[in-house]
Amino acid sequence: MQIVLGAIRWLNIGTVTAACLVMLLMMIHITLDVGVRYFVNGQIVGTLEWVSFYYMVALVFLALGYVEYKNENIRVDLFAQMMPKSVQLALYIFACLLGLIFFGMLFWQSLLDATRATLRAEEAMSNFRFYIWPARWALPIGFAGALLAVLANLLRAIIRRQAL
C-alpha cells in the first residue's frame, strides 16, 4: 500500500514541478517581451498566445493533483468539524467517492478531447500558425493526478480511520 501511495505522491510532485517550470518560463517570456517593448519598441510575436494557451493552462491543471494530495483545496467544513469523528470519516469517504467519480469523468472527457484535438492538429486563430493541441494534454494529466490524489487520500483516511 505504501508503494502505491508513494508512487502517487511522486507523480504529483513531478506534475507540480513541471507547473513550476512552466511558471518560470512564463515569467522569462513575459519579462523578455516587456524588455523588448521598452528598449527596442518591438514585440515578441505570439506572447499572448503562448501565455493564454500554454502557460496558464499548464500552470493551473498540472498543479491540481498536488494541491489535492496536500489537502490544500478550499473547504467549507464548519458543521462537519462539530460532528463525531466516525461521522466525519463517513462524510470524508463519501466526499472522496464523489471526487473519484467527478475527476474520473473529467479525466475521461478531457482525454477524449485531447485525442481529438491531436488527430485534427488543432490550432488557434492568429496571424500565424499556432498549434494548441499539445496544451490540451495538460487537462487529462492534471485530472489524472487529481484522481490519483483523491484515491491516495481516501486510502490514507481508511488506513488511519480518520478524516484528513
Side-chain angles (χ1 to χ4, degrees):
M1 183 65 63
Q2 293 301 326
I3 295 172
V4 172
L5 294 176
I8 293 171
R9 178 176 169 266
W10 280 107
L11 184 133
N12 281 310
I13 287 173
T15 57
V16 80
T17 302
C20 290
L21 291 173
V22 165
M23 184 171 55
L24 184 64
L25 281 173
M26 181 175 68
M27 290 175 6
I28 292 169
H29 192 154
I30 292 172
T31 302
L32 287 173
D33 188 50
V34 169
V36 167
R37 285 178 192 261
Y38 182 74
F39 293 114
V40 204
N41 198 22
Q43 69 176 4
I44 298 176
V45 177
T47 298
L48 178 65
E49 287 83 5
W50 273 91
V51 170
S52 301
F53 289 109
Y54 281 100
Y55 296 141
M56 294 305 286
V57 171
L59 190 59
V60 169
F61 288 100
L62 292 181
L64 200 60
Y66 185 77
V67 171
E68 179 61 37
Y69 185 81
K70 295 299 243 177
N71 289 318
E72 296 293 329
N73 282 319
I74 297 172
R75 294 183 185 195
V76 181
D77 58 356
L78 177 67
F79 297 111
Q81 290 178 355
M82 294 185 260
M83 296 180 181
K85 297 290 184 191
S86 60
V87 174
Q88 287 181 17
L89 178 60
L91 285 174
Y92 187 78
I93 290 172
F94 179 68
C96 285
L97 292 174
L98 288 178
L100 288 173
I101 293 168
F102 178 71
F103 284 119
M105 290 185 335
L106 285 172
F107 166 73
W108 182 251
Q109 186 59 52
S110 63
L111 181 66
L112 294 176
D113 292 342
T115 303
R116 266 188 246 120
T118 302
L119 292 174
R120 285 191 317 234
E122 188 176 34
E123 54 186 87
M125 188 184 302
S126 63
N127 293 337
F128 54 94
R129 180 161 285 196
F130 188 76
Y131 292 108
I132 59 172
W133 64 266
R136 298 275 188 197
W137 287 97
L139 279 75
I141 292 169
F143 290 138
L147 178 70
L148 292 172
V150 170
L151 178 64
N153 288 342
L154 173 64
L155 293 174
R156 288 190 304 173
I158 290 172
I159 289 170
R160 295 178 186 173
R161 298 187 194 282
Q162 177 184 355
L164 298 182

